[in-house]
Amino acid sequence: MTDQVLPEKVETTDVDSAIAYLKDKFPSAVSDDTRDGYSGVIVDKNKLVDVARAIRDELGYNYLSSATAVDYHTLGEPDSDMEMVYHAYPITGGGALVFKAQTPRDNPEIPSLVNVWPGADFQEREAYDLMGIRFPGHPNLKRILMWEGFLGHPLRKDWKEAYYEEDHKPFSSRWPSGNVWRAEEKNAYGKNVRYPDDFDLSRLNDVSEESLYEGLGLGVDVQAIEGTMHTDRLVVNMGPHHPSTHGVFRMVITLDGETIDTLEPVMGYLHRNHEKIGERNTYLHNMPFTDRLDYLSSMGNNLGYALAVEQLMALGPRWNPPSYRAEVIRVLMAELTRIVNHLWSIGFLLNDLGAFFTPMLYANNEREKILDFFEGVAGSRLMCNYVRFGGVFQDIPERIHSVQNMVNDRVRDFDSMKFLTELVSERLPRFLDEYEYYLSENEIIKARCINVGVLPPDEAVGYSAAGPLLRGSGIPYDVRRADPYSIYPELDFDIPVGERGDIYDRYTVRIREMRESLRILRQLLPRLEATKGESVAGTNAHTPRVPVGESYGRVENPKGELGFYVVSAGDAKGTQNPWRYHVRAPSFINLTPLGRMSHKQKVADVVTVLGSIDIVLGETDR
């Protein structure tokens, strides 16, 4: 999988010791990042691969969580540097070693780290696609979210969309004058799309498919296959219209008979440049946009983003951390979200196996009870927009009410704490017992899942897998324990892991994680009672001026590590809009090993392998 050679390991006690070791070993290539509010080291790109190997093999930071591209154009000179920011962690737990490589903007090139961490594969392709940074040594460098004929790199600071108005919101046409006009009114239909200069629309010939197939190294003439089938090897497209690929995801599969030889995920059908929108918005504007990422886990999305911005706000003089009650409520919502997600995930996994709808709807009946609670507290069932900087939107109400919109509507009216107590102490545990009774020993499920889609533990780490995909391979890595946040350090819970790294292990990990979430929730109930009356609103939460610097906020979301890399720059008084806003999306990165997991499997199993990863395309494509 990798070229990993294990030299003698260096004993380091903390990140500072690791940085000191790197500076001593590579004195001319590694230097401190001395910018205000920044951390980590800057590495000479010509030595990046050597330094990365030392970080992985000698210092034990063997898990590359995130690789983020940043464009600093207009902050300095017109040809100012572009930057790749890497966050590496020890899989045994601990904080991040942040290292960066810079490159001139007029000819951006940074060596690929795929041979060190295979998990850099899709992340480097994303940086190439959206920022235009080339990565010599990458085995398959091509666009991943945009099509090959797209003009430009849409996350660069000088790139303007067709309906561009201004760099930041609120737009002056909306506020404060209120003389509203929209960019669409000034762009004639048919003139809102730009093409490369050498692109002749009258002679359109899309070659992106040929480029895709060539990149697979199939050894098959795809054009010839369309006319004559004189080969035992066959290229099959599953999706984007396949029901189990959500209508916006595709797998290009090479088959040898019924056996999968190669598989490449093709995504981007739902890409909407979420991060560019995030850099246009004010900090608070972004909170409801995080709901639209993994729309089954909006509470967790809110929390991850809030933690990133709060790290920056803590650099200022007026920061007040969330109250204890606010932290309890945040964890309460995050753990309920984990159950919501896993119920849906397991239901659809069974759907992919062929048990159409019944297991999914059975689980969804319990999921709806949690959504009733979300609606009563946040006002919304799916996209909750609930967390605020320094707190939450509002406290848990005394009673959960619903409104009668039609004559026969059933109106809910429950005591909130009684409803919550009965849910986590009786109803959900009873349901999980019953659900496991029907599923876990089912001979069809075991035959279709055991030893299928195996991901070995060393490869799971190398591919930057996260969540149940990583823990199903036997790696007990969970951000709540490895790099704790909020009040998780004081809570008692275990980290479930699998044994074989197959589909069945990923299923059982999710079942056991729901039981651990219930264990956490039962510990929160007395804390909620003890903190009644305590404020939950954040100070300066709505229009914060965020100090200059960088931050990386991450949470253990149901699908794995969700991270937000945020840069606040350009205004010594504190910015109101992020300079860089990047989402480390577990649904996106967890697809990196899909081809490896599907190799030598049967074509009938590929949808189940995909289902066991548990992706949401809103988060994958962003």
Side-chain angles (χ1 to χ4, degrees), residues 54 92 127 300 353 381 429 451 453 478 481 583 616:
T92 53
L353 278 168
R381 302 177 72 80
N451 292 323
D478 185 308
R481 279 277 185 256
V583 183
V616 159

Side-chain angles (χ1 to χ4, degrees), residues 165 170 192 200 222 243-244 262 359 384 435 444 487 491 554 569 577 588 603:
E165 291 189 38
N192 59 332
D200 185 353
V222 177
S244 290
T262 63
C384 299
Y435 211 47
I444 298 174
I487 62 168
L491 299 174
R554 63 179 191 148
N577 309 81
F588 176 69
V603 67

Side-chain angles (χ1 to χ4, degrees), residues 30-85:
V30 177
S31 59
D32 290 320
D33 188 341
T34 57
R35 294 171 289 184
D36 288 342
Y38 285 70
S39 62
V41 294
I42 297 176
V43 180
D44 183 338
K45 68 175 184 177
N46 296 314
K47 284 287 188 179
L48 179 63
V49 175
D50 293 336
V51 173
R53 284 201 181 98
I55 290 170
R56 180 193 69 181
D57 299 340
E58 298 171 33
L59 296 174
Y61 288 81
N62 51 351
Y63 183 71
L64 182 69
S65 166
S66 175
T68 306
V70 185
D71 179 10
Y72 282 104
H73 180 62
T74 71
L75 273 185
E77 298 299 321
D79 293 326
S80 59
D81 287 340
M82 301 186 81
E83 188 171 89
M84 283 297 295
V85 183

Side-chain angles (χ1 to χ4, degrees), residues 162-180:
Y163 295 126
Y164 171 80
E165 291 189 38
E166 298 174 26
D167 275 344
H168 295 130
K169 294 178 182 176
F171 295 151
S172 57
S173 64
R174 277 49 157 196
W175 183 90
S177 61
N179 298 319
V180 177

Side-chain angles (χ1 to χ4, degrees), residues 242-351:
H242 191 288
S244 290
T245 63
H246 309 267
V248 281
F249 180 72
R250 171 177 162 213
M251 295 175 284
V252 180
I253 304 171
T254 314
L255 293 176
D256 183 0
E258 290 288 314
T259 303
I260 297 169
D261 189 13
T262 63
L263 181 150
E264 179 168 346
V266 182
M267 59 200 80
Y269 296 95
L270 199 61
H271 178 67
R272 59 210 185 276
N273 219 355
H274 173 95
E275 294 177 11
K276 189 78 166 186
I277 295 169
E279 291 166 14
R280 294 265 193 268
N281 287 340
T282 67
Y283 288 100
L284 184 61
H285 278 163
N286 276 338
M287 191 62 76
F289 280 82
T290 66
D291 293 343
R292 275 78 179 164
L293 291 166
D294 177 1
Y295 41 78
L296 301 177
S297 306
S298 70
M299 292 284 196
N301 302 348
N302 290 174
L303 179 55
Y305 173 62
L307 291 178
V309 177
E310 287 170 359
Q311 286 179 28
L312 288 167
M313 293 174 70
L315 299 175
R318 294 184 296 171
W319 166 244
N320 290 310
S323 67
Y324 188 78
R325 181 171 181 81
E327 293 284 20
V328 171
I329 293 175
R330 285 178 168 191
V331 173
L332 171 79
M333 296 306 187
E335 295 307 314
L336 286 172
T337 296
R338 198 175 316 279
I339 297 172
V340 163
N341 181 93
H342 287 351
L343 288 175
W344 199 246
S345 170
I346 292 171
F348 269 104
L349 176 64
L350 271 293
N351 210 41

Side-chain angles (χ1 to χ4, degrees), residues 431-448:
F431 164 77
L432 284 177
D433 289 342
E434 191 174 10
Y435 211 47
E436 269 205 278
Y437 174 79
Y438 288 122
L439 298 181
S440 294
E441 295 301 318
N442 183 286
E443 59 182 308
I444 298 174
I445 291 174
K446 296 180 80 169
R448 292 288 308 279

Side-chain angles (χ1 to χ4, degrees), residues 347-394:
F348 269 104
L349 176 64
L350 271 293
N351 210 41
D352 292 335
L353 278 168
F356 290 123
F357 300 115
T358 300
M360 181 188 69
L361 293 176
Y362 196 60
N364 197 50
N365 190 47
E366 304 306 315
R367 177 177 174 268
E368 286 293 308
K369 301 303 178 186
I370 301 176
L371 298 189
D372 287 347
F373 182 74
F374 285 174
E375 183 181 14
V377 176
S380 178
R381 302 177 72 80
L382 197 64
M383 299 179 190
C384 299
N385 183 23
Y386 180 62
V387 179
R388 294 292 182 270
F389 307 132
V392 294
F393 163 60
Q394 66 177 12

Side-chain angles (χ1 to χ4, degrees), residues 563-589:
F564 291 88
Y565 179 75
V566 178
V567 173
S568 171
D571 187 348
K573 295 181 180 179
T575 62
Q576 291 181 296
N577 309 81
W579 177 266
R580 182 71 175 101
Y581 164 80
H582 172 69
V583 183
R584 188 263 188 222
S587 293
F588 176 69
I589 297 175

